[in-house]
Each structure stands twice: as structure tokens, then as C-alpha cells.
Amino acid sequence: MKNAQVTIRDLALKLGVSISTVSRALRNASNVDPEKKKHVLELAEKLHYQPNRVAQNLRIKRTNTLGVVVPQINLHFFSSVISGIQEYAATHNYGVMICQSLESLEIEQSNIQMLVANRVDGLLISLSSETDSYDHLQALLDKRIPVVLFDRVTESVHANKVIVDDHDGASKATEYLIQTGCRNIAYIGGPEHLYISNQRLKGYTDALQRNGIALDDDFVFHCHDLKNDVMSAADQLLSGNKRPDAILCLNDPVAIQVMQVFKSRNIRIPDDISIIGFTDEPVSQFIEPSLTTVSQPADEIGRVAAALFLEQMDQKDDFKPVTKVLATELLIRNSTRII
Amino acid sequence: MKNAQVTIRDLALKLGVSISTVSRALRNASNVDPEKKKHVLELAEKLHYQPNRVAQNLRIKRTNTLGVVVPQINLHFFSSVISGIQEYAATHNYGVMICQSLESLEIEQSNIQMLVANRVDGLLISLSSETDSYDHLQALLDKRIPVVLFDRVTESVHANKVIVDDHDGASKATEYLIQTGCRNIAYIGGPEHLYISNQRLKGYTDALQRNGIALDDDFVFHCHDLKNDVMSAADQLLSGNKRPDAILCLNDPVAIQVMQVFKSRNIRIPDDISIIGFTDEPVSQFIEPSLTTVSQPADEIGRVAAALFLEQMDQKDDFKPVTKVLATELLIRNSTRII
DNA sequence: GTGAAAGCGCTAACAC
DNA sequence: GTGTTAGCGCTTTCAC
């Protein structure tokens, strides 16, 4: 950026050739005298020439950069996804700009706006928990900017998506709870409009039904605030006239909060209540008792999302959005009873 | 990027004014008829005009983007730093491109190269554990590209730095171990060339000395591979003829590994051996026993690094690199004996 | 207050 | 095979 950066013009001048020859040599294009090419390359090396990507980008109308928006960078799940994206992108000569929405729709919108202004070639987005309108996403599609939604997706938008099989994960988890003898199983989920929360809820209710267990509405919670609402959900479950013997939680952080509440009330886990989370945060294997959870392949989600984007870049014209569903795995640890 | 993006030329045409007037109105420059300005702004709004930052960047020779390179994105410490950087940057109208070196010098170099090619305004870098030559950093300084090193820094480079007071942290930790009655205290560190590892070592040795405890070379380990070497260090400590009664570890992951080894050998923590880590990973408060550790303000490091960069952007001319040293805090938990 | 024009560094016709 | 030229979309002199 500074002064002093060498340009192809400098090279051309010193070599007594035209800038187009230099340009061609650099990109080792079709027709250029091997001898001259060699000289150009050597001089470029010697002068530490670095192509100005900003200029290139303006000219070729693409940036080889992709934008990613996540709710919060320093949640292990998201940083793992980002790690996966970055690694995949790097090997395909792409850079990545990151933003975090901090669970705010407004920030999410301005993030996207900023990325678009920077003309990223595509956007990989995981929605904020607050996001319940999708105009800003639709606007991207209308501009034919490739979008891949991951993890926190919505059915309202016709874009590429990569998710894990939340329904199956929740179903397996619930099924397991039933196998271990639980019959009064509660679900503490997220906001109603959150796709993953609904899928998990559905997996849970389907498993109950398959096993002839009636769904109890008092056992289902939709938490908007993943802090306070979770606390009060846990409280309610304890003070209700029917006590659950197991709880399926939206994710590990929720599960851990619930565990803390229970511990402080001397409720034994898993003897009194079994608890299952979702995600497999690194904490979960170390907490006491270690948390049974449904693991999601975070890095893989990132890689697949990036790959999906690259595919779309190729086909562009007749592109049909796809949804990749990745498998989950039930990790049985010590927060649930044994069979 | 796509077709269809509105340009100032489109606005000018529709409004029957020149593009320079539009440009001025948009950036609400000095002299422009308020009436016309209003029209421009309205039309821009209506047509969803978005300035092409790539073109702007080329013209004004800066990108309002900063590049960050960390060893691994999905380590909690680094993702927290990134989060801090991103948040600070966003409020100052900066974007951020991220890369991870995966602890490889070669990748670190190509990351930096890529970011420079994209003409980021500055670089915030935490060095890979493999990095023991600094030409690639010096090259940046020579090109007068602002660089801020954080956490994993080196004394060999004359750039802005933000670190935590590792010496003091290690010193406080060692001091505390001594207070609790430990006399045979070992240190398991990282590669010799790693600044933070050395600082911590120094804090440790100084504390020993202050308390009249002789330094035992058999009690100091430099691990290059933070996995295998740590294991064998733990093994050695157990099988040596003098057994330590406490271990200060380079960081929490190292401490946790050591704990696992000890647990598998039925060594009681802290009764047989006290253990202290560094960083305060989220795991550390949940592990059994919870880990006494020296916490570092990760977000704050990110914010300060970003702030330092912005400062440097302003002064540019007569700039003197500074090193910000942030305070650490000893978090006493249950992996150490009580006083 | 406004427009014409130059140019940021590069690519890609288009001629020769 | 090589040079000339015209932009990419924007900012910023410089005249008027």
C-alpha cells in the first residue's frame, strides 16, 4: 500500500519492454518470448515485485476473497468452522474476511454490507439468533452473489446450505435416553424461528412418539435469551409438579448451565436427571460429570461450505442450490445413565 | 462484483450531473449544492448504490482492512484475540482478513505475502512456534507496512508489540507455589526461541532465586512439539530420582496433558503434585481438579493491538514502536495446595 | 459550485 | 510475439 511498491510499469521500464509483455510474462500467458519471460521473472524476484491485487481485482471483477459472518468468533464451534473455511480457501488461493454479528441482526446486516462493498466473491453466513427477517439475504441472491448458509440456516432463503442432521442427532439422543429408562424427558431449545432448534425439537418429539411416549408441553422450552431464559427453564423444571428424569439441551453451553443449576441444588447427575447436550465443546469432556453430547463436525462444515461456494463460482449460470447434510454422532459420556 | 452493481456513473447519468459531483455528494465533501446532494443521496438509496471499495482502495491507496495471522484460529485464546480485533476494527470502519499459519513458518510467510498483495493497511501477527527467522517481518518494516506483534513476539524485530506480563505472571505463580510449601518446582516450557516461554522461565527462576531455592536444570524442559515432548517431560519427571512437588506449565493445554498423565498413574493432584497453567482456557475451570492458572486478557490483547495499529496509521511519519504490557492475574483453583 | 480530465495498477482486446 | 489502447470505478486536481 505504502509508497515504494514496485509495479509492472517499473519492470517494463527497466527491461525496455511494454507493460503488457510484463503482465503476460507474469501470468505466464500464451504468447511471450521465453527469453523475455525469464528476464521479467528474474527482475520481479529481485525487486520483490508483488502484484497489486486491488488493481487486479478491480480489473477482473473478482477478489478471490470470501466473506464469512458468524454470531461470535470465539465460540469453539464457530472458530472451528472458520478454521476449516480458511484452510480450504487458502489451498484454493482464496482469502477470507471475517465478521461477527454478536447475535445482532443489525450488525449482521452491516457486516454483510461491508463485505459486499469490498466485493467479496461470496458469503458464508451463520445467522444471528436475532435474525428473523431475511431481506438482506434475499438482496444478495438478487444480486447473484453466491451465498452459503451454514449451521444457523433458514428455510426462507433459497441458497446453498450446509447443516448437520439435527433431527437425527436429537432423535438418537432421545432414543438413547429412553433406552436408559428415562420417560419424562424435557427439551430446552432456542428461539422458535431458529431452524436448528426446531429440527432438534422435531427429532426429539418424533423419538418420543416412536416409543409411545406422550409429549408434555410443559417439558418444552424455547429460550430467546440463552442465558437467563435457560436458568428459569431449569428452575421451572425443578419446581413443577412433574419432574423430568432427563433433559435434552439445545447445545453444550445450555447443558452446562443446566448442570450448574442442578449441582447447586444438589440434584445428582445422572442419578436424578440425565443431561445431553449438542456440539461437543472442548469443555464437555472435562466437566464433572463429563457431558454426553451429539457431536458436529465443525471443521468439516467449514470445508464443505467453502467447497460449495467454489462449485457455485464455476457453474454460476445454471446453478441450483443444494443442502448438504452432515452426520452427527452421539458421544456417550457420564451425564446420562447407563443402559 | 457481479453485473448489475450500480456505479456513480449510473447515478450521474440519471441525475444529469457529472460523476465528480456525485462523488463529492456521496462523501459529503466541501462544496456541493445541498439540493443536488439531497437528490444524489436519495437516488443512491433508492438504487441500493454501494460504493465499490475495490475501486476506492485502488484510488486512495489504502484498503481499511487489516490482516491478522495466528498459529491456529480455533484455539480459544487466539479466537478471543481475533474477536477483540474484529470488534475494535469494525467500530473504526476497518475490515479484517484472517489467516492461520498452523505453526508453520512457510505458511506464515505465504499468509503474509497474500495479505500484502491484497494491500492490507497493516498486519497483526502472532508468530508460529516454528518461526525462528524474521526476514519476512523485517521486509514488512522495510516497506513501511505497519506491523503489530502480539502474544508470540520476538525481540529481533523492531515493531509494535502487545504482550502480557509473562515474567510477572510466572513469578506470581511460582511464588504462590512456594507459599503453599512446594520446594521442588519444575517448569515445562516451549521452544527456546519462543519469547513468552523464556519470559515465563525467567519469572520462574527469579522467583526461585528470591526465595533462596536453587534452580535444578533437570526440572526445566523445553518442548518443541507441544504434544509428544510434553508427555515425555511428564514421564521423565516421574521417573527421575528427585520428584517435583509442583509443576509450572507453559500453558493450560500443556498443564492438562500433564494432569492426564499423572491421573493415569494415580498421582494425586494437588496432594502429590501441584500444577499451574497459563492462559485460562475455558476448559480449565471445569476440569477435575479445576486448574490454577495465570489468566491473560485475550480480547483486550486484540483490542490493544488493533488500537496500536490505528495509532501508527495516524503518526506514520515519526513513528516509534512501543510495547504494551498487559497485566496477568493468578486464578487460584484446585490443582494447587492451599496455603 | 461544478465539470473535464488524469490516473491508481492492472488486464485484455485489438492491431501489427 | 509485442505494443498500443481502452477501460475497471473511483478520487482529486485543475480550470472555469
Side-chain angles (χ1 to χ4, degrees):
Chain A
M1 196 74 296
K2 300 305 83 50
N3 37 11
Q5 284 281 19
V6 185
T7 73
I8 56 171
R9 199 161 161 282
D10 299 329
L11 300 184
L13 248 41
K14 290 217 201 245
L15 253 31
V17 299
S18 75
I19 60 167
S20 28
T21 300
V22 174
S23 173
R24 280 191 273 257
L26 253 18
R27 281 167 306 116
N28 107 73
S30 41
N31 304 326
V32 48
D33 179 5
E35 190 67 7
K36 282 191 179 147
K37 181 148 116 192
K38 197 167 140 263
H39 288 151
V40 172
L41 262 24
E42 279 172 5
L43 187 63
E45 172 81 318
K46 184 173 149 229
L47 265 42
H48 299 110
Y49 166 77
Q50 284 210 293
N52 184 332
R53 288 257 218 149
V54 179
Q56 277 178 311
N57 293 343
L58 177 60
R59 181 60 237 242
I60 66 180
K61 288 171 173 292
R62 48 179 287 185
T63 53
N64 271 48
T65 299
L66 44 80
V68 2
V69 183
V70 296
Q72 176 92 34
I73 292 170
N74 61 353
L75 292 182
H76 185 259
F77 174 75
F78 288 118
S79 63
S80 295
V81 175
I82 294 174
S83 178
I85 292 172
Q86 199 279 328
E87 226 182 308
Y88 192 93
T91 63
H92 291 77
N93 196 29
Y94 264 79
V96 6
M97 295 195 67
I98 43 152
C99 297
Q100 53 191 342
S101 63
L102 302 174
E103 305 287 9
S104 148
L105 171 57
E106 196 184 339
I107 299 182
E108 179 176 296
Q109 288 168 330
S110 79
N111 282 339
I112 291 175
Q113 177 133 346
M114 184 274 247
L115 293 169
V116 170
N118 276 289
R119 298 302 190 267
V120 294
D121 290 344
L123 288 145
L124 314 191
I125 306 171
S126 194
L127 301 175
S128 92
S129 63
E130 207 180 283
T131 302
D132 54 0
S133 79
Y134 309 100
D135 299 351
H136 55 311
L137 302 180
Q138 192 53 51
L140 296 175
L141 300 185
D142 293 346
K143 286 185 181 171
R144 330 209 97 248
I145 298 175
V147 172
V148 182
L149 261 28
F150 63 89
D151 190 55
R152 305 251 204 108
V153 306
T154 172
E155 290 183 296
S156 309
V157 164
H158 203 53
N160 273 326
K161 287 165 205 170
V162 19
I163 51 177
V164 297
D165 197 336
D166 288 300
H167 181 282
D168 181 60
S171 179
K172 281 189 294 200
T174 310
E175 199 79 59
Y176 178 75
L177 290 170
I178 296 171
Q179 277 173 42
T180 63
C182 301
R183 288 296 175 274
N184 298 308
I185 305 173
Y187 172 68
I188 300 184
E192 287 90 342
H193 56 79
L194 202 59
Y195 182 77
I196 57 166
S197 182
N198 282 326
Q199 287 300 302
R200 290 171 193 178
L201 176 57
K202 210 147 168 301
Y204 155 84
T205 55
D206 286 356
L208 290 183
Q209 197 181 355
R210 261 201 315 276
N211 288 272
I213 300 176
L215 176 66
D216 183 342
D217 283 340
D218 290 348
F219 275 179
V220 174
F221 294 83
H222 295 284
C223 302
H224 290 254
D225 177 337
L226 257 31
K227 208 101 207 172
N228 300 325
D229 292 358
V230 170
M231 295 299 189
S232 71
D235 281 341
Q236 261 178 270
L237 282 171
L238 288 185
S239 55
N241 44 9
K242 199 173 88 185
R243 245 205 209 173
D245 50 18
I247 304 181
L248 175 64
C249 299
L250 175 67
N251 57 29
D252 286 3
V254 168
I256 289 171
Q257 277 183 75
V258 171
M259 278 173 67
Q260 311 283 36
V261 172
F262 287 6
K263 276 191 204 170
S264 71
R265 307 275 179 89
N266 293 317
I267 313 257
R268 291 166 305 162
I269 303 167
D271 309 81
D272 298 330
I273 300 189
S274 287
I275 294 190
I276 292 193
F278 231 102
T279 304
D280 190 28
E281 297 278 344
V283 203
S284 305
Q285 59 176 306
F286 294 108
I287 201 171
E288 272 305 318
S290 60
L291 182 65
T292 296
T293 190
V294 180
S295 81
Q296 313 182 57
D299 308 50
E300 182 67 9
I301 291 175
R303 280 191 295 273
V304 171
L308 229 42
F309 157 74
L310 287 182
E311 266 177 45
Q312 184 173 353
M313 281 297 278
D314 290 345
Q315 322 162 356
K316 187 127 272 1
D317 32 339
D318 48 14
F319 149 80
K320 283 261 170 292
V322 304
T323 297
K324 296 262 188 197
V325 180
L326 272 41
T328 60
E329 188 185 356
L330 179 63
L331 300 181
I332 297 169
R333 295 202 273 240
N334 301 318
S335 65
T336 44
R337 297 179 202 170
I338 53 178
I339 296 186
Chain B
M1 195 75 297
K2 298 306 85 49
N3 37 13
Q5 285 280 20
V6 184
T7 74
I8 56 172
R9 197 160 164 282
D10 298 329
L11 300 183
L13 248 43
K14 290 215 205 248
L15 253 32
V17 298
S18 75
I19 61 169
S20 24
T21 300
V22 175
S23 173
R24 281 192 271 257
L26 253 17
R27 278 165 310 112
N28 108 73
S30 41
N31 303 325
V32 50
D33 180 6
E35 189 67 9
K36 280 191 180 148
K37 180 147 114 192
K38 196 167 140 260
H39 287 151
V40 172
L41 262 24
E42 281 173 3
L43 187 63
E45 172 84 316
K46 184 171 150 232
L47 265 41
H48 300 109
Y49 166 77
Q50 284 211 295
N52 184 333
R53 289 257 218 147
V54 178
Q56 276 179 311
N57 294 343
L58 177 60
R59 181 59 236 243
I60 66 180
K61 286 169 172 295
R62 49 179 286 187
T63 53
N64 270 50
T65 299
L66 47 79
V68 2
V69 183
V70 296
Q72 176 92 36
I73 293 170
N74 61 352
L75 292 183
H76 185 259
F77 173 75
F78 288 118
S79 63
S80 294
V81 176
I82 294 174
S83 177
I85 293 173
Q86 198 281 328
E87 227 182 307
Y88 192 92
T91 64
H92 290 76
N93 196 28
Y94 264 80
V96 8
M97 295 197 66
I98 42 150
C99 297
Q100 52 191 341
S101 63
L102 302 175
E103 305 287 9
S104 148
L105 170 57
E106 195 185 339
I107 298 181
E108 180 176 294
Q109 289 167 328
S110 80
N111 282 339
I112 291 176
Q113 175 133 347
M114 184 274 247
L115 292 169
V116 171
N118 276 289
R119 297 303 189 266
V120 294
D121 290 344
L123 288 145
L124 313 190
I125 306 173
S126 193
L127 301 175
S128 92
S129 62
E130 208 181 283
T131 301
D132 54 0
S133 80
Y134 308 100
D135 300 351
H136 56 310
L137 301 180
Q138 193 51 53
L140 296 175
L141 301 185
D142 293 345
K143 286 185 181 171
R144 331 208 100 247
I145 299 175
V147 172
V148 182
L149 261 27
F150 62 89
D151 189 56
R152 305 250 205 109
V153 307
T154 173
E155 290 184 296
S156 310
V157 165
H158 203 52
N160 272 325
K161 289 166 202 169
V162 18
I163 52 178
V164 297
D165 196 336
D166 288 299
H167 182 283
D168 182 61
S171 179
K172 280 189 294 198
T174 309
E175 200 79 61
Y176 179 74
L177 289 171
I178 296 170
Q179 277 174 42
T180 62
C182 300
R183 287 297 174 273
N184 299 308
I185 305 174
Y187 172 67
I188 300 184
E192 286 90 344
H193 56 79
L194 203 60
Y195 181 77
I196 56 167
S197 182
N198 282 325
Q199 287 300 302
R200 289 172 195 178
L201 176 58
K202 209 145 169 305
Y204 155 84
T205 55
D206 286 356
L208 290 183
Q209 198 181 353
R210 261 201 313 277
N211 287 272
I213 300 177
L215 175 65
D216 183 342
D217 283 341
D218 290 350
F219 275 179
V220 174
F221 294 84
H222 295 284
C223 302
H224 290 254
D225 177 337
L226 256 33
K227 209 98 206 177
N228 300 323
D229 293 356
V230 170
M231 294 299 188
S232 70
D235 281 341
Q236 262 179 268
L237 283 171
L238 287 186
S239 54
N241 43 10
K242 199 172 87 185
R243 246 205 209 172
D245 50 17
I247 305 181
L248 175 64
C249 299
L250 174 68
N251 57 28
D252 286 3
V254 168
I256 289 171
Q257 276 182 75
V258 171
M259 279 173 68
Q260 310 284 34
V261 172
F262 287 5
K263 275 191 204 168
S264 70
R265 307 276 180 89
N266 293 316
I267 313 257
R268 290 165 307 161
I269 304 166
D271 308 82
D272 297 329
I273 301 189
S274 286
I275 295 190
I276 292 193
F278 231 102
T279 306
D280 190 28
E281 297 277 343
V283 202
S284 305
Q285 61 175 305
F286 293 108
I287 200 170
E288 272 305 319
S290 59
L291 182 66
T292 295
T293 190
V294 180
S295 81
Q296 314 184 58
D299 308 49
E300 183 66 8
I301 292 176
R303 280 190 295 271
V304 171
L308 229 42
F309 157 75
L310 287 182
E311 265 178 45
Q312 184 173 355
M313 281 297 278
D314 289 346
Q315 322 163 356
K316 186 125 282 333
D317 32 339
D318 48 13
F319 149 79
K320 283 261 171 289
V322 305
T323 297
K324 297 263 188 194
V325 179
L326 273 40
T328 60
E329 188 186 354
L330 179 64
L331 300 181
I332 297 169
R333 294 203 275 241
N334 301 317
S335 65
T336 44
R337 299 177 201 169
I338 53 178
I339 297 186

